[in-house]
């Protein structure tokens, strides 16, 4: 679509959007959608799940297109006028990726159609604004499984999951979101709707742009729809929970399960602090004061699950306090996962706030990362704990703070920064699944080195030469908005202040 003619407010487009004139012009570009330039919905679009860490932005308008063509028209309009675009899904991100800094917020919320489900071909085509839990439910209703299960599934969107390459417990066996995407419909600057891949199970034509777009956090293009690969839903699942006296015996149970040659679907852990916060609502019998817990789930045919569960119970019982607990049936599974989903909230409730980071380390360094997190908390005078995806070496390192206590927040941000140093030192990475957003850009260069940061910057400029898509996110790159900043300067991220 041809961009709308330039408006007289071009010298300061964002201010002009605020005065209502360009908001009305934007509205003509999205007849199937809407444009909001004031009130509670606009305010809600200025933060994500990092708000408790003090992250809140500002924007001139919330634009909700109703089709890919409308997204393209809005992008063309913005590209013509140098207006930054902050793309938003469900706003559950934990890195500040959807928090705007001026410009407009482009929300995919209104694009929530499931375009096709083909159970015989194990595939689905869905728009970016469909909630994650709905994708899972529709797959289930058709006898299939969409395995990615990030924790805020009722709120997060498929587009947000793809843009962050989200994980979750079942990523251990099934891989992260990107493993399940075979095609994307994307709007690229300056406003072209393109299809990358599609309903195909293999495609090596050209460079692998599908995986480049996956995890790009709204900085290269706007995802409007995806083709998903599904698998037949497993017939049965069983969960096994083991409790341990210390980090070492818990981590040795993780190693024993992995060394057994079995492939559990899930291998999770909670350390002493995470357990102390949540054990009160654990729905089954548990020892008095456990210092560590490991949760495994096996799935497959009923016979496979029976055999695997016996072996997993044996592996997890060797170093456990008593025998590992074997749960059975869907009701037990629902209770256990309902409890596990509440762990983050329970930890938060300890002091009213927390700063959490999701570093990832080689699995054989898991115990070092867990102990290292506690030592960092102690150095900064903050209670600390962690839990996470043990089988992936992905730990949610958390520092507990009082809301409104600026000194504690500053110490917790410094502690979070030290967990990134720890991850790098242990041969890991600064984010396993939550992404870089604006919080971690200051750590991208220490993590990747200058040559890779340069390469990433060149990729960004190739797709988005005006640097208008989610500026200040994901890649530390100096643009026109922050002239004078260094390529990787700590100004790029709050946690970048060491
Ligand atoms: C309680 C809780 C539990 C969580 N558990 C997990 C977990 O287990 N695993 C995990 O990986 N994450 C987890 N998260 C983090 C979060 O849910 C994921 O990062 C999720 O994928 C974000 O999706 P969203 O739709 O909310 O995206 P948003 O927060 O709206 O956006 C996230 C990023 O994606 C970009 N984006 C969004 N939609 C699009 C699009 N259509 N096109 C291009 N870019 C887009 C945004 O610009 C932003 O950079 C959790 C969060 C919470 C609050």
């Amino acid at each position: 679509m041809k961009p709308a003619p330039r408006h007289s407010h071009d010298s300061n487009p964002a201010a002009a959007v605020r005065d209502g004139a360009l908001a009305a012009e934007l509205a003509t570009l999205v007849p199937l959608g809407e444009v909001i330039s004031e009130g509670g919905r606009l305010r809600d679009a200025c933060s994500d799940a990092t708000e408790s860490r003090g992250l809140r932005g500002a924007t001139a308008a919330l634009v909700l297109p109703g089709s890919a063509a409308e997204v393209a028209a809005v992008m063309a309009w913005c590209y013509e006028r140098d207006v930054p675009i902050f793309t938003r899904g469900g706003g559950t991100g934990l890195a500040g990726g959807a928090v705007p800094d001026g410009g407009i917020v482009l929300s995919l919320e209104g694009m929530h159609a499931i375009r096709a489900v083909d159970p015989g071909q194990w595939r689905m085509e869905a728009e970016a604004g469909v909630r994650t839990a709905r994708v899972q439910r529709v797959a289930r209703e058709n006898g299939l499984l969409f395995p990615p299960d990030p924790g805020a599934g009722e709120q997060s969107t498929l587009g947000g999951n793809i843009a962050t390459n989200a994980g979750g417990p079942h990523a251990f066996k099934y891989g992260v979101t990107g493993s399940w995407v075979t095609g994307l419909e994307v709007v690229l600057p300056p406003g072209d709707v393109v299809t990358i891949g599609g309903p195909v199970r293999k495609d090596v034509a050209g460079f692998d742009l599908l995986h480049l777009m996956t995890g790009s956090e709204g900085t290269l293009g706007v995802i409007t729809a995806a083709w998903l690969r599904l698998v037949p839903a497993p017939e049965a699942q069983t969960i096994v929970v083991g409790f341990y006296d210390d980090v070492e015996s818990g981590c040795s149970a993780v190693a024993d399960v992995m060394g057994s040659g079995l492939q559990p679907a899930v291998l999770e852990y909670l350390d002493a602090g995470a357990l102390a916060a949540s054990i009160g609502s654990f729905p089954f019998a548990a020892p008095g004061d456990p210092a560590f817990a490991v949760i495994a789930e096996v799935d497959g045919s009923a016979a496979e699950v029976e055999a695997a569960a016996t072996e997993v119970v044996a592996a997890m019982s060797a170093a456990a306090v008593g025998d590992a607990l074997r749960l059975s049936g869907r009701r037990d599974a629902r209770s256990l996962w309902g409890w596990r989903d509440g762990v983050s909230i329970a930890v938060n409730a300890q002091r009213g706030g927390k700063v959490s980071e999701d570093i990832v380390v080689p699995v054989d360094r898991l115990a070092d990362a867990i102990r290292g997190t506690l030592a960092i908390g102690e150095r900064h005078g903050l209670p600390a704990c962690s839990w996470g995806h043990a089988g992936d070496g992905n730990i949610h390192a958390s520092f507990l703070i009082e809301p409104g206590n600026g000194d504690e927040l500053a110490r917790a941000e410094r502690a979070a920064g030290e967990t990134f140093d720890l991850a790098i030192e242990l041969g890991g990475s600064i984010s396993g699944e939550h992404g870089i957003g604006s919080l971690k850009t200051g750590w991208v260069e220490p993590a990747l080195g200058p040559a890779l940061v340069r390469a990433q910057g060149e990729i960004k400029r190739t797709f988005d030469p005006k640097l208008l898509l989610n500026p200040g996110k994901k890649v530390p790159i100096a643009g026109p908005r922050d002239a004078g900043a260094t390529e990787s300067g700590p100004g790029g991220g709050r946690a970048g202040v060491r």
Side-chain angles (χ1 to χ4, degrees), residues 48-49 86-94 96-99 106 108 128-129 131-132 149-153 155-169 177 216-219 221-224 340-341 344-345 358 389 394 396 432-435 437 470 473:
D48 65 5
F86 295 90
T87 303
R88 184 179 183 87
T92 67
L94 289 166
V99 178
L106 184 72
L108 275 293
R131 305 283 165 188
T132 316
D149 57 346
Q155 294 84 36
S156 67
T157 61
L158 179 61
N161 296 158
I162 296 169
T164 55
N165 204 3
T177 303
S216 63
E217 298 184 45
T219 60
V222 177
I223 298 160
T224 50
R340 167 63 184 82
D341 282 347
S344 174
I345 294 167
D358 85 310
H389 315 306
N394 187 187
H396 300 319
E433 53 181 21
H434 297 163
N470 261 9
K473 314 289 170 83

Side-chain angles (χ1 to χ4, degrees), residues 410-426:
R411 279 189 276 139
E413 293 291 355
R414 283 197 293 277
E418 286 178 26
T419 66
F420 302 144
D421 290 336
L422 175 68
I424 296 167
E425 194 185 303
L426 294 175

